[in-house]
């Protein structure tokens, strides 16, 4: 798991703008860059893939980045950037909102919507790139958190930003550890956003949010229980079955769908380990009595059969070894 590094130090002045446009597009996605002085511009960027998350450190002079409709029209993947400014404030505009994020905070940017991002003084940014499917595994409707500033100095938010900034230089090189660390980083991000969203009247009430999180936690802790059902969840959480369905309806998913998705995610995580158990055993462990049904649902969610997914990761382990 090597670090990919880029710098303008050895790039001729006339070629710096074009070079940096390519670097930014390859690291994040295509953007329109505006330089204060392209000929004298200096920039440094290091990137490391940590499981499902790309973590980068970006240090440049004042810059403006724009995601325009022409950049989005041909994009096939939906991705998010999470930016933590370390040296100076950043200005961000998206979805009709204008926000300023100072060091000590962080913000989310949707890659499938136009935006403008800038800073008027030299900056040092920690930037995470996460695909929408990966983020949605831990966070329902992440779009509602975009173009808002979150506290990254205290509580879970502080833990997330500290972890994100420290994981870059200290992440171990093996793929197995990277998968675990990357998922932990996403878990911290989701916990931080959920905790801070309770105070936002435009999201959901803190009581409903707490009930939903409790139900989700109970489901994830009981995935191997063949008796897991909406009735079991409502009884364990001390709420009615009808109210439970209302909670998940607000997240645009049924309780049964959520249980199935979490079981498939847990099965996928087992397949990512070296020397995983037989596929039939994994299927039965997570409540799938029919291996053919398990394979069909797995492929529908992840785009590969369980055996194909296992083979791809086994090849990765052999390569890293």
């Amino acid at each position: 798991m090597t670090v990919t590094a880029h710098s303008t130090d050895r790039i001729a002045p006339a070629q710096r703008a074009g070079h940096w446009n390519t670097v930014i597009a390859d690291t994040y996605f295509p953007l329109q860059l505006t330089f204060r002085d392209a000929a004298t511009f200096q920039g440094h960027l290091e990137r490391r893939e940590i499981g499902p998350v790309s973590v980068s450190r970006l240090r440049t002079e004042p810059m403006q980045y724009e995601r325009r409709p022409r950049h989005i029209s041909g994009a096939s993947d939906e991705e998010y950037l999470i930016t933590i400014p370390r040296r100076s404030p950043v200005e961000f505009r998206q979805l009709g909102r204008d926000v300023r994020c100072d060091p000590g905070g962080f913000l989310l940017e949707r890659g499938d919507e136009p935006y403008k991002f800038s800073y008027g003084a030299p900056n040092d940014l920690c930037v995470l790139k996460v695909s929408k499917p990966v983020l949605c595994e831990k966070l329902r409707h992440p779009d509602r958190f975009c173009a808002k500033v979150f506290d990254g100095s205290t509580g879970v938010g502080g833990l997330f930003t500290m972890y994100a900034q420290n994981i870059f230089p200290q992440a171990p090189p093996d793929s197995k550890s990277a998968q675990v660390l990357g998922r932990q980083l996403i878990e911290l991000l989701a916990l931080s956003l959920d905790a801070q969203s309770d105070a936002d009247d435009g999201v959901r009430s803190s009581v409903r949010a707490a009930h939903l999180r409790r139900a989700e936690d109970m489901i994830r802790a009981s995935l191997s229980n063949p008796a897991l059902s909406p009735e079991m969840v409502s009884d364990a959480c001390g709420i009615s079955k009808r109210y439970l369905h209302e909670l998940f309806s607000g997240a645009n998913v049924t309780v049964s769908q959520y249980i199935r998705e979490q079981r498939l995610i847990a099965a996928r995580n087992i397949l990512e380990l070296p020397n995983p158990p037989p596929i039939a055993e994994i299927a039965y462990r997570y409540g799938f009595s029919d291996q053919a049904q398990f394979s069909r649902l797995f492929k529908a969610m992840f785009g590969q059969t369980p055996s194909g997914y296992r083979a791809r990761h086994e090849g990765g382990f052999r390569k890293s070894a």
Side-chain angles (χ1 to χ4, degrees), residues 87-106:
R87 183 175 175 184
S88 63
V90 299
E91 305 284 342
F92 184 66
R93 175 185 299 170
Q94 189 176 51
L95 302 171
R97 304 184 189 123
D98 288 88
V99 297
R100 170 191 167 110
C101 183
D102 294 307
F106 67 94

Side-chain angles (χ1 to χ4, degrees), residues 99-102 105-108 145-151 196:
V99 297
R100 170 191 167 110
C101 183
D102 294 307
F106 67 94
L107 56 84
L108 273 71
F145 299 103
C146 292
K148 296 181 180 180
V149 176
F150 295 92
D151 183 6
Q196 296 188 50

Side-chain angles (χ1 to χ4, degrees), residues 68-132:
R68 296 182 174 180
R70 62 181 173 84
H71 297 132
I72 300 167
S73 60
S76 57
D77 299 325
E78 295 184 59
E79 297 172 309
Y80 295 87
L81 299 183
I82 300 93
T83 300
I84 305 168
R86 295 157 54 100
R87 183 175 175 184
S88 63
V90 299
E91 305 284 342
F92 184 66
R93 175 185 299 170
Q94 189 176 51
L95 302 171
R97 304 184 189 123
D98 288 88
V99 297
R100 170 191 167 110
C101 183
D102 294 307
F106 67 94
L107 56 84
L108 273 71
E109 305 139 43
R110 279 181 62 176
D112 62 342
E113 285 286 338
Y115 71 70
K116 182 181 291 187
F117 181 99
S118 64
Y119 40 93
N123 219 331
D124 182 350
L125 309 173
C126 176
V127 185
L128 283 63
K129 185 172 77 168
V130 185
S131 71
K132 185 170 186 176

